Amino acid sequence: MTTEIEAIRTAILEGAAAEDLAGLPLPTAFRGATVRADEQEMFAGVPSQEKDPRASLHIDDVELPELAPDEAFIAVMASSINFNTVWTSIFEPLPTFQFLTRLGKESVWGARHDQPVHVVGSDAAGVVLRVGSAVRLWKPGDAVTVHCNYVDDQDPSSHDDSMLATNQRIWGFESNYGGLAEIALVKANQLMPKPAHLTWEEAAVNGLTNSTSYRMIVSPNGSQMTQGQTVLIWGAGGGIGAYAVQYVLNGGGTPVGVVSSPERAALLRELGCDAVIDRKAEGFRFWSDDQTQDPAEWRRFGKLVRELVGTDPDIVFEHPGRQTMGASVFVAKRGGMIITCAATSGFMIEYDNRYLWMNLKTLKGCHFANYREAWAANRLVCEGKIQPTLSRVFPLDDVGEAAYQVHHNLHEGKLGVLVLAPEEGLGVTDVAMRERLEPQIALFRRHA
Ligand SMILES: NC(=O)c1ccc[n+]([C@@H]2O[C@H](COP(=O)([O-])OP(=O)(O)OC[C@H]3O[C@@H](n4cnc5c(N)ncnc54)[C@H](OP(=O)(O)O)[C@@H]3O)[C@@H](O)[C@H]2O)c1
């Protein structure tokens, strides 16, 4: 840690005034979690499951880029692991340096991102250090969380739903200078207030997954669930799934959560999800071999859902992809929706289209969230109506191990990463609200 970073950290921990923070010199370099361009072939020929993020993720010193007029530097107190950092670290489905090269061709400012190291991470909670000359609404000293929709608002296509912008990107995945670093570079339109009742690490885990689940469940751009609907949620104890469960419960729906262990089933029940399927205990084999699905297993799965909640799901919250999509399309109710944002187990999907068209179902794609949606999702966290799902915390130096755990489905909810925060438990400014919500906030930690 440079002396400049140490001084910034001390000032934040001591609650320094905004003008004092603004006056502190910035370092010329900072530490961040990176993958390196000269290592992007390191796993050539290795099966996906054996590609090890602990070998490809490094903590490197990175030169501080110049700040553009619409941007801010954030002192990152904590960040989190998202699955996109797993994808980056195993260089699948393609090395992210290709995204940086493309961004580099867009403008002089874009060119800063095209570097031989990629600083990863799509979440952050921290404090604004500097803002560019065009930034109106934020200033040094503001405690913030960051959402990862990285949009150039000069593009007309971004002015309805910014997720439809032709050059929409995910920060820290398709751009450089992400959140798993002492200093992050963000656009001002990625900033949101930090929930006052949460610690840095609790505040850092929500941005990406909470916003994604908000759009998928709540927003008209997603499935726009209404009261009384039933929602089947794959991976309901995981990153996006555990927020989806909360949105369904908050909105008066009935979640049916799928998980793969009795411990996760117990966690879900404590979260308020009464209908739980342990897919491992039930032994579902939707594929009888690599090329052939087994419709009898779809039917067995659908029967179990009906037994649990008395109806087929109005909405299926889909992300495992190839392994589950056949079952998802089959089990959705006549006229229902399968909403998908990912394909963890493979993106070349097969399903029986007769069940889709004959039963008038909709298969809808969904991706992250626009600023309005991310803001609404963050506001619900600030109001204590959505809880963080932090289960474990790692120091920045162990980011490879944290990514490894996500890659191998060894975690529940979200894994936090301490960056400038020297220990857990710091950053709470609304103590009364925290005390009131402590049992719910700590649910995933208790189960870890
Ligand atoms: N498009 C977007 O904006 C967006 C945003 C966030 C995430 N994503 C993507 O969504 C996916 C999930 O992200 P996440 O953060 O929730 O990851 P996560 O924390 O790893 O959770 C995924 C869950 O899915 C379940 N799962 C894994 N493989 C499965 C399989 N073959 N069949 C059934 N269930 C399976 C696991 O639960 P059990 O083993 O307990 O069943 C796991 O807890 C990733 O691919 C990620 O890249 C996309």
Side-chain angles (χ1 to χ4, degrees):
M1 188 178 287
T2 62
T3 49
E4 291 90 349
I5 293 279
E6 187 65 60
I8 288 166
R9 168 157 91 163
T10 304
I12 293 169
L13 293 173
E14 290 176 352
E19 50 283 14
D20 294 338
L21 209 54
L24 289 175
L26 296 179
T28 53
F30 61 93
R31 293 169 77 240
T34 65
V35 291
R36 299 173 183 162
D38 62 5
E39 292 184 350
Q40 58 189 305
E41 298 301 328
M42 68 191 291
F43 296 134
V46 176
S48 285
Q49 282 299 305
E50 290 168 29
K51 295 179 180 173
D52 192 338
R54 294 172 298 192
S56 55
L57 282 170
H58 305 282
I59 303 300
D60 279 324
D61 288 330
V62 180
E63 205 176 307
L64 192 74
E66 197 182 337
L67 187 68
D70 63 344
E71 292 178 340
F73 283 133
I74 308 299
V76 180
M77 300 304 281
S79 180
S80 94
I81 303 294
N82 285 294
F83 216 96
N84 65 7
T85 289
V86 175
W87 296 126
T88 304
S89 68
I90 63 173
F91 307 104
E92 285 192 21
L94 33 97
T96 45
F97 290 98
Q98 298 181 26
F99 304 141
L100 305 186
T101 302
R102 202 174 307 150
L103 174 54
K105 289 183 179 143
E106 275 192 1
S107 67
V108 172
W109 295 115
R112 295 168 303 165
H113 294 259
D114 189 10
Q115 300 291 337
V117 293
H118 185 180
V119 184
V120 295
S122 298
D123 269 323
V127 175
V128 176
L129 285 178
R130 292 280 193 284
V131 294
S133 55
V135 175
R136 277 190 308 122
L137 302 175
W138 303 92
K139 57 180 187 330
D142 288 344
V144 291
T145 56
V146 177
H147 76 77
C148 62
N149 184 14
Y150 187 88
V151 186
D152 172 358
D153 61 11
Q154 292 175 39
D155 188 330
S157 62
S158 72
H159 284 268
D160 178 9
D161 170 10
S162 60
M163 287 306 298
L164 297 180
T166 45
N167 63 356
Q168 186 279 331
R169 293 183 163 86
I170 298 296
W171 164 70
F173 178 62
E174 294 164 292
S175 80
N176 214 327
Y177 307 115
L180 284 162
E182 292 170 339
I183 296 185
L185 178 71
V186 303
K187 286 182 182 283
N189 64 14
Q190 291 177 253
L191 295 175
M192 309 187 293
K194 173 192 170 289
H197 65 295
L198 298 183
T199 62
W200 293 114
E201 60 277 11
E202 290 160 354
V205 299
N206 310 300
L208 187 147
T209 45
N210 179 39
S211 310
T212 302
S213 299
Y214 177 92
R215 181 170 170 119
M216 288 179 80
I217 299 290
V218 182
S219 171
N221 292 318
S223 63
Q224 201 172 16
M225 187 205 83
T226 55
Q227 294 189 27
Q229 289 195 313
T230 297
V231 185
L232 178 81
I233 301 169
W234 292 105
I240 50 177
Y243 291 99
V245 169
Q246 296 186 62
Y247 281 114
V248 173
L249 289 169
N250 284 4
T254 302
V256 181
V258 186
V259 289
S260 63
S261 72
E263 294 77 20
R264 288 185 187 175
L267 170 63
L268 271 200
R269 291 201 177 90
E270 214 179 319
L271 189 61
C273 180
D274 297 329
V276 182
I277 295 174
D278 180 341
R279 64 184 172 97
K280 214 167 185 180
E282 297 290 343
F284 287 113
R285 283 177 56 87
F286 300 128
W287 289 79
S288 35
D289 61 48
D290 279 357
Q291 302 304 323
T292 323
Q293 296 197 60
D294 182 355
E297 285 291 270
W298 303 344
R299 285 193 286 277
R300 184 163 75 90
F301 183 63
K303 189 163 172 278
L304 184 54
V305 174
R306 280 187 187 182
E307 281 168 12
L308 283 170
V309 291
T311 179
D312 297 329
D314 299 278
I315 297 163
V316 179
F317 184 89
E318 166 62 50
H319 52 90
R322 183 169 172 82
Q323 285 297 323
T324 54
M325 186 61 94
S328 293
V329 169
F330 175 80
V331 298
K333 188 182 279 181
R334 194 176 171 85
M337 179 183 287
I338 304 96
I339 186 142
T340 176
C341 73
T344 316
S345 64
F347 49 80
M348 293 305 281
I349 301 288
E350 271 181 44
Y351 62 87
D352 186 334
N353 203 30
R354 291 170 298 177
Y355 291 109
L356 193 85
W357 98 71
M358 294 294 287
N359 294 317
L360 302 107
K361 304 180 188 186
T362 303
L363 175 56
K364 185 168 183 175
C366 204
H367 188 37
F368 188 59
N370 62 38
Y371 196 9
R372 185 185 55 73
E373 291 161 339
W375 188 279
N378 184 62
R379 187 171 165 198
L380 288 163
V381 177
C382 291
E383 292 174 346
K385 292 173 182 160
I386 290 287
Q387 310 304 334
T389 62
L390 179 73
S391 61
R392 283 192 64 193
V393 177
F394 294 77
L396 182 62
D397 285 332
D398 291 347
V399 71
E401 174 61 30
Y404 175 88
Q405 298 212 358
V406 174
H407 184 27
H408 289 275
N409 192 13
L410 302 174
H411 67 299
E412 275 89 41
K414 294 286 302 173
L415 299 185
V417 177
L418 292 183
V419 184
L420 292 180
E423 60 192 68
E424 297 173 42
L426 304 175
V428 175
T429 49
D430 187 339
V431 176
M433 182 167 172
R434 197 210 161 64
E435 281 173 0
R436 183 165 59 79
L437 293 170
E438 177 75 35
Q440 293 101 299
I441 294 170
L443 175 61
F444 279 70
R445 306 235 41 190
R446 284 201 302 279
H447 275 264

